[in-house]
Amino acid sequence: MLPANAKWACKVDGDCMNSCSQGAVSSTWYAGAAVKECEDGCSSKGTEPARCIDGECVAFMRDFAHPGKIVRSEDCTHRP
């Protein structure tokens, strides 16, 4: 099932990407969006590739307190 908002819609991990200003988003949506990017943020150091979970792009990052552990990044998932 795909979400109503195409910004986060995906079918497979490869449909998702990380945007500095937008977080984990659909690469198809991003290609057509007029997005003002930033220098740091949701695509900075420690960011892991976005994944498609239940039809929505989700952001992940390294947990620097626990080397080797990858955790979901709520701050970079479903950014308005």
Side-chain angles (χ1 to χ4, degrees):
M1 180 173 135
L2 294 178
N5 192 335
K7 182 176 182 176
W8 302 296
C10 61
K11 292 183 181 176
V12 297
D13 290 347
D15 294 341
C16 300
M17 62 171 282
N18 289 313
S19 161
C20 179
S21 65
Q22 301 297 305
V25 295
S26 161
S27 54
T28 301
W29 172 86
Y30 187 86
V35 175
K36 183 175 180 183
E37 282 298 359
C38 54
E39 295 289 321
D40 201 2
C42 290
S43 62
S44 63
K45 240 182 196 178
T47 302
E48 290 292 314
R51 299 179 196 163
C52 183
I53 298 177
D54 296 330
E56 298 182 328
C57 294
V58 177
F60 287 86
M61 62 183 289
R62 284 180 242 144
D63 181 345
F64 290 109
H66 301 95
K69 185 176 180 183
I70 307 298
V71 295
R72 182 178 168 135
S73 172
E74 298 303 333
D75 291 343
C76 292
T77 298
H78 287 212
R79 287 190 109 183

